[in-house]
Amino acid sequence: MQKINHLLNDNDDQPNDSFSHLVTQANKHLSLQQFWQEAVPTIIGQSSFASNLNNGILVVFAHHNGVAAKIKLTSASLLTQLQNLQKTNAEYKPYKVTGISVKVQVKSQQKQATTSQRTLSVGAATTLRELADDLGDSALATKLKKIADNA
């Protein structure tokens, strides 16, 4: 991050305030996400992320409804864990969490391409064998015969 900051600020004689503000916000968000990840079980942490903290309410987005339900059911114990972590770790002192708000944000999944087994018709296999016979003794003829035999 320092290299990027140095590169962007090297072109101007005055520092880039908007970029440094963006870097500060990104670091705060990463720290909040790390705070959430350390307090919750691994499975919940992998399927959710902390978005922001406003007026003591931590907004968490879950990847699907099951995780959101689990967070809502265990919100009291999660809140206690977050508060204990905030008290014990000096890095998380600014995060005063008094409540958890859970929202579902479905993670889009790529569709799997369906592949079907390709087969040759009897007529196509016969044509391939005839072509292989016309070619004589060659590598291509051997491959064509093999394809026709597998049909």
Side-chain angles (χ1 to χ4, degrees), residues 61-123:
F61 286 97
H63 295 299
H64 48 82
N65 204 18
V67 175
K70 181 70 173 178
I71 293 171
K72 286 179 184 178
L73 287 173
T74 60
S75 64
S77 65
L78 291 176
L79 188 59
T80 304
Q81 290 173 350
L82 287 168
Q83 289 172 346
N84 288 339
L85 186 61
Q86 183 258 334
K87 290 176 185 175
T88 58
N89 194 335
E91 183 181 343
Y92 304 127
K93 288 271 187 217
Y95 302 124
K96 307 255 190 257
V97 180
T98 58
I100 299 173
S101 172
V102 183
K103 298 180 180 183
V104 178
Q105 182 167 359
V106 178
K107 198 175 188 181
S108 64
Q109 296 180 3
Q110 295 179 348
K111 293 181 180 179
Q112 295 290 335
T114 56
T115 57
S116 59
Q117 185 68 26
R118 296 182 183 181
T119 57
L120 288 176
S121 66
V122 176

Side-chain angles (χ1 to χ4, degrees), residues 44-78:
I44 292 176
Q46 291 173 349
S47 301
S48 63
F49 63 94
S51 174
N52 61 11
L53 180 65
N54 276 340
N55 298 328
I57 304 295
L58 178 65
V59 178
V60 177
F61 286 97
H63 295 299
H64 48 82
N65 204 18
V67 175
K70 181 70 173 178
I71 293 171
K72 286 179 184 178
L73 287 173
T74 60
S75 64
S77 65
L78 291 176

